[in-house]
């Protein structure tokens, strides 16, 4: 059953409204998408690539499986309030580990009881470090190799929305944000299935967090902090498109054909063995080229179990995009 939440805004609340890009919101929304096992029309390439890695690491039967159910409530302590516009994952994990025990107990009381939630309720300080270790594993396996692409979409969304506010005003922006969100008479209205949002239970202002994995609008409240509203980012539909550079020859003249080919193949993260099989370059040659590209800041390495996945960085993405 849907309910209508209303969040009143004063002039001060509007002045304190801002955006942030949060790795932890992508962790919880991305993990929820994976455990739902739903066939997603946009994220299918990503889920097909990472699901087996996540299963092999035991994450679908670990702490996150208890704290991030496929539907309904998400523990607020997993998405701590960002104190800056783009906090690092390390900063957010530190905030999770520092969550007061009372907040942890309040959050898990809203979840289905399990052996893990009982243990966490009994001794949060003992188990929070283990939870953040599991989050780090999920990040390294499922998100870090793709973060350059994801971050580009999120940054573009923030730029677009900020320009929208500047050109058309807050009312136009809020009414365009999502079908479940509307603005009228200095009040933001959200159609929600749970978690009623009101100014009486939230601090001043509003934090808007775009997400590539959020299926709908997600909310967060912890007085006296401003409420958080995570919402689906524009441009997510292009996230996993594989487009070879239109001017690969021009790039190859600078980087060489083999390194350009490897960058092109890294539209999706891959191991040395996979790249050797696709390109016909020897494994030793692939390793040598990847080391050079990594030294130039164009490739990053991420451990996934016994393998190491290589991914294009933002530098490489910019180069290939500029060549299109």
């Amino acid at each position: 059953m849907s309910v209508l939440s209303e969040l009143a805004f004063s002039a001060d609340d509007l002045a304190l409204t801002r955006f942030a890009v949060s790795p932890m919101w992508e962790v919880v929304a991305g993990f929820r998408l994976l455990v739902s096992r739903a066939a997603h029309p946009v994220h299918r390439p990503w889920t097909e690539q990472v699901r087996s890695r996540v299963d092999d690491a035991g994450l679908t039967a670990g702490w996150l499986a208890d704290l991030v159910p496929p539907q309904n409530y998400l523990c607020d302590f997993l998405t701590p309030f960002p104190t800056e516009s783009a906090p690092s994952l390390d900063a957010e994990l530190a905030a999770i580990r520092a969550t007061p025990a009372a907040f942890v107990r309040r959050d898990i009381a809203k979840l289905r009881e399990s052996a893990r939630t009982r243990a966490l309720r009994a001794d949060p300080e003992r188990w929070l470090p283990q939870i953040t270790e599991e989050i780090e594993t999920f990040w390294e396996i499922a998100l870090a190799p793709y973060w350059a692409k994801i971050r580009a979409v999120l940054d573009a969304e923030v730029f677009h929305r900020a320009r929208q506010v500047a050109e058309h005003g807050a009312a136009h922006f809020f009414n365009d944000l999502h079908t479940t969100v509307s603005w009228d008479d200095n009040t933001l209205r959200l159609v929600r299935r749970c978690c009623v949002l009101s100014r009486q239970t939230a601090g001043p202002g509003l934090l808007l967090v775009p997400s590539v994995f959020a299926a709908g609008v997600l909310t967060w409240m912890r007085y006296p902090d401003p409420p958080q509203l995570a919402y689906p980012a524009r441009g997510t539909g292009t996230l996993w498109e594989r487009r070879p550079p239109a001017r690969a020859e021009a790039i190859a003249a600078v980087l060489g054909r083999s390194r350009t080919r490897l960058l092109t193949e890294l539209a999706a993260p891959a191991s040395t063995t996979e790249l050797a099989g696709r390109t016909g370059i020897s494994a030793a040659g692939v390793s040598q080229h990847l080391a050079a590209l990594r030294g130039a800041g164009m490739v990053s390495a991420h451990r996934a179990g016994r393998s190491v996945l290589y991914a294009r960085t933002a530098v490489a993405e910019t180069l290939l995009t500029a060549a299109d």
Side-chain angles (χ1 to χ4, degrees):
M1 179 178 178
S2 297
V3 295
L4 182 66
S5 293
E6 295 188 348
L7 192 66
F9 275 75
S10 66
D12 288 342
D13 290 318
L14 279 175
L16 292 171
T17 296
R18 64 181 179 89
F19 290 89
V21 171
S22 166
M24 275 308 306
W25 271 111
E26 297 308 291
V27 167
V28 297
F31 187 84
R32 167 166 281 187
L33 174 62
L34 280 175
V35 297
S36 72
R37 300 286 170 174
H40 197 283
V42 171
H43 293 302
R44 181 178 176 181
W46 176 77
T47 59
E48 289 180 346
Q49 291 169 36
V50 306
R51 181 166 281 139
S52 61
R53 300 178 210 153
V54 171
D55 287 341
D56 291 345
L59 299 180
T60 50
W63 280 101
L64 283 174
D66 283 79
L67 301 178
V68 185
Q71 296 179 335
N72 300 325
Y73 179 72
L74 293 167
C75 287
D76 287 342
F77 75 83
L78 292 177
T79 50
F81 186 80
T83 57
E84 52 189 310
S85 61
S88 66
L89 178 68
D90 287 344
E92 294 195 308
L93 293 180
I96 292 172
R97 288 190 291 269
T99 305
F103 288 168
V104 175
R105 293 187 177 106
R106 182 198 66 182
D107 289 354
I108 62 176
K110 302 174 186 178
L111 298 176
R112 185 185 65 178
E113 187 171 292
S114 68
R116 285 193 177 89
T117 59
R118 287 194 296 271
L120 183 57
R121 181 172 59 247
D123 194 352
E125 291 185 0
R126 175 186 177 186
W127 296 108
L128 285 177
Q130 185 167 326
I131 292 169
T132 55
E133 286 180 12
E134 188 173 298
I135 291 170
E136 286 183 291
T137 300
F138 178 75
W139 174 266
E140 196 69 11
I141 289 174
L143 292 178
Y146 309 88
W147 188 242
K149 286 186 174 185
I150 293 171
R151 181 64 189 270
V153 170
L154 298 178
D155 287 345
E157 165 67 12
V158 171
F159 177 81
H160 169 78
R161 296 300 183 180
R163 184 173 178 178
Q164 193 176 44
V165 172
E167 293 182 352
H168 304 289
H172 178 87
F173 156 69
F174 281 125
N175 282 317
D176 185 58
L177 196 65
H178 192 264
T179 56
T180 61
V181 177
S182 62
W183 173 272
D184 183 54
D185 194 24
N186 295 325
T187 301
L188 186 68
R189 295 179 171 84
L190 300 88
V191 178
R192 309 286 292 129
R193 284 186 297 175
C194 59
C195 303
V196 175
L197 192 66
S198 72
R199 189 58 72 187
Q200 287 70 37
T201 55
L206 177 67
L207 183 71
L208 295 153
V209 185
S211 169
V212 301
F213 292 112
V217 172
L218 303 170
T219 56
W220 178 102
M221 289 181 298
R222 182 183 292 162
Y223 189 84
D225 291 321
Q228 292 187 60
L229 191 155
Y231 67 94
R234 297 169 64 258
T236 300
T238 65
L239 187 58
W240 311 119
E241 289 182 351
R242 300 189 64 173
R243 296 177 297 169
R247 295 171 57 191
E249 291 296 323
I251 299 175
V254 178
L255 298 181
R257 292 185 180 278
S258 294
R259 291 174 186 175
T260 300
R261 175 72 186 281
L262 290 173
L263 283 181
T264 301
E265 290 293 332
L266 286 176
S271 67
T272 300
T273 302
E274 290 171 331
L275 290 169
R278 291 184 205 164
T279 62
I281 304 171
S282 68
V286 169
S287 295
Q288 184 178 12
H289 290 310
L290 289 175
L293 291 168
R294 189 178 181 188
M298 304 183 75
V299 165
S300 57
H302 309 273
R303 180 157 293 282
R306 298 180 180 179
S307 301
V308 175
L309 296 176
Y310 292 89
R312 295 195 305 226
T313 64
V315 173
E317 294 289 348
T318 299
L319 174 65
L320 296 177
T321 301
D324 282 350

